[in-house]
Amino acid sequence: MAALRTLLRIRAAAGWRVSGGRQVICSRSEFTSLEEKPQFPGASAEFVDSLEFIQPNVISGIPIYRVMDRQGQIINPSEDPNLPKEQVLKFYHTMTLLNTMDRILYESQRQGRISFYMTNYGEEGTHVGSAAAMKDTDLVFGQYREAGVLMYRGYPLDLFMAQCYANALDPGKGRQMPVHYGCKDRNFVTISSPLATQIPQAVGAAYAMKRENADHAVICYFGEGAASEGDAHAGFNFAATLECPVLFFCRNNGYAISTPTSEQYRGDGIAARGPGYGIMSIRVDGNDVFAVYNATKEARRRAVAENQPFLIEAMTYRIGHHSTSDDSSAYRSVDEVNYWDKQDHPISRLRHYMMHKGWWDDEQEKIWRKKSRKNVMEAFEQAERKRKPSIEHIFTDVYTEMPPRLKKQEESLKKHLKVYGEHYPLDSYEQ
């Protein structure tokens, strides 16, 4: 972990500039008294006597931390987390089960069985590596592509299906769009559709934990597109100034719906923004589950011990469409997608690692794939057979005591259904 700790250090940039593509020392005046030194409260700096603008490329690309190469070989043995076989198998089982669930639910939406879906193809390593590094008592604020985090924490398939089908088993009682999961028991805050609203919320939760002196941290997931929202700026700045134990985990998957990163920002990704807020930052290979695990574990340790935020930018690729409402073939080539699917996929990389260790083989792969598909299909079939939540839940769970205007609306609905109920599929709802 020595190399990881080195990457996490923020080096002082004062005293050098870019000239002709090289970093050189700026000439500085020597001051003989305190009065001649800068006294401005807003920055830590010295006076210079030459006019120089800071170049956008003052840092020549933040490096990408990784542990495994694309063939699953450990590059630097000192960075190998040396996880036990059972835990690595859990990584793999979770990643592949998520992949199988995605394929079945995606096809389910295409067949008109559910209204909407978002796959996680290609980003499974970011979910599982980060989830494994956090404690189960840590609070998770997701965006909408973190189903693997919840799955790693033991969320059952029947509840994933119940949420997407909005049936009576859904803890949200059918009120949310599909893939907007939440689970209080597993400390996973319910996902909301507005982009980036979870970022300042996560900071507030982390600040509360700090005030309670709790040995907990918060992890907040978002994409590089969400980092362009004003809520991201507010969250980063609050976390830094209030010194909150929060991990900002950015999945930089190349596209914000159809907007590529080349049109999303001009700087060096998202990690480059951290130092400007005073946040410790690192960039990792998001397709390397061990790199994600190491970075998140170290960031979590220091966030709790030092009460400060950390920014992790996981470089990955969104292999699937943004959602079932999107057709990515309109803005990217098939060859581009195939490269990431066939040449640099987090699941195949971990599988190569396990095979090198003698923990996995083709026969085990065949058996597991068949078993995982069977488990998903069973949950899928059960979800389709369940009725929808009772219609009365339209009015519940908002107020402790229902206000008169809602009571009036409820009575109006009952009267309407009494007269025109034959025109509605009431038999599909619980009574």
Side-chain angles (χ1 to χ4, degrees), residues 164-424:
C164 289
Y165 274 85
N167 67 29
L169 286 181
D170 175 22
K173 300 178 183 177
R175 301 186 182 112
Q176 275 276 28
M177 287 176 64
V179 308
H180 289 54
Y181 310 110
C183 182
K184 184 177 180 180
D185 292 341
R186 291 170 175 84
N187 296 303
F188 192 100
V189 178
T190 301
I191 293 165
S192 56
S193 290
L195 203 60
T197 55
Q198 76 275 16
I199 299 177
Q201 293 166 4
V203 175
Y207 184 58
M209 290 179 179
K210 173 187 173 181
R211 290 178 61 87
E212 291 177 353
N213 291 316
D215 182 25
H216 301 319
V218 175
I219 186 166
C220 178
Y221 295 90
F222 55 95
E224 82 286 346
S228 294
E229 293 284 342
D231 278 343
H233 161 73
F236 294 163
N237 202 43
F238 270 117
T241 56
L242 296 175
E243 299 177 332
C244 301
V246 58
L247 277 63
F248 296 113
F249 194 101
C250 176
R251 297 174 291 93
N252 191 334
N253 63 18
Y255 292 91
I257 307 183
S258 61
T259 304
T261 54
S262 60
E263 297 177 17
Q264 187 69 237
Y265 52 74
R266 284 292 179 268
D268 182 23
I270 308 304
R273 303 179 191 180
Y277 290 100
I279 296 177
M280 300 285 278
S281 306
I282 189 171
R283 176 176 287 158
V284 304
D285 182 347
N287 292 346
D288 178 350
V289 69
F290 294 151
V292 174
Y293 173 82
N294 283 352
T296 308
K297 184 177 181 180
E298 178 66 5
R300 195 258 174 213
R301 182 189 69 81
R302 293 187 60 179
V304 173
E306 301 168 13
N307 272 327
Q308 65 169 317
F310 282 76
L311 171 60
I312 299 172
E313 181 181 22
M315 310 304 293
T316 184
Y317 188 81
R318 193 197 79 210
I319 292 174
H321 305 296
H322 171 73
S323 71
T324 50
S325 303
D326 173 47
D327 178 9
S328 63
S329 66
Y331 53 85
R332 60 181 182 176
S333 70
V334 174
D335 289 342
E336 176 183 319
V337 176
N338 283 341
Y339 167 79
W340 292 99
D341 191 24
K342 306 299 183 184
Q343 302 296 324
D344 194 5
H345 199 291
I347 291 177
S348 59
R349 194 184 297 194
L350 183 58
R351 182 167 61 248
H352 289 323
Y353 171 84
M354 295 193 302
M355 286 181 168
H356 294 323
K357 299 279 284 188
W359 294 347
W360 201 251
D361 57 34
D362 291 339
E363 184 61 25
Q364 289 172 297
E365 177 75 12
K366 182 179 178 180
I367 293 171
W368 166 244
R369 291 286 184 170
K370 183 177 180 180
K371 179 181 178 182
S372 61
R373 179 174 176 78
K374 180 176 180 290
N375 290 342
V376 174
M377 287 303 299
E378 287 177 351
F380 166 80
E381 291 167 359
Q382 290 174 10
E384 284 204 314
R385 289 196 294 266
K386 293 287 183 183
R387 290 186 176 185
K388 302 293 183 183
S390 173
I391 293 174
E392 69 180 18
H393 289 311
I394 294 174
F395 304 96
T396 61
D397 297 335
V398 177
Y399 298 96
T400 302
E401 185 175 339
M402 192 183 299
R405 65 179 183 276
L406 275 187
K407 289 182 178 178
K408 184 177 179 181
Q409 291 175 30
E410 184 180 31
E411 289 301 319
S412 177
L413 176 61
K414 288 179 179 178
K415 290 178 182 178
H416 177 82
L417 292 177
K418 189 174 183 179
V419 176
Y420 301 104
E422 62 183 296
H423 300 290
Y424 296 91

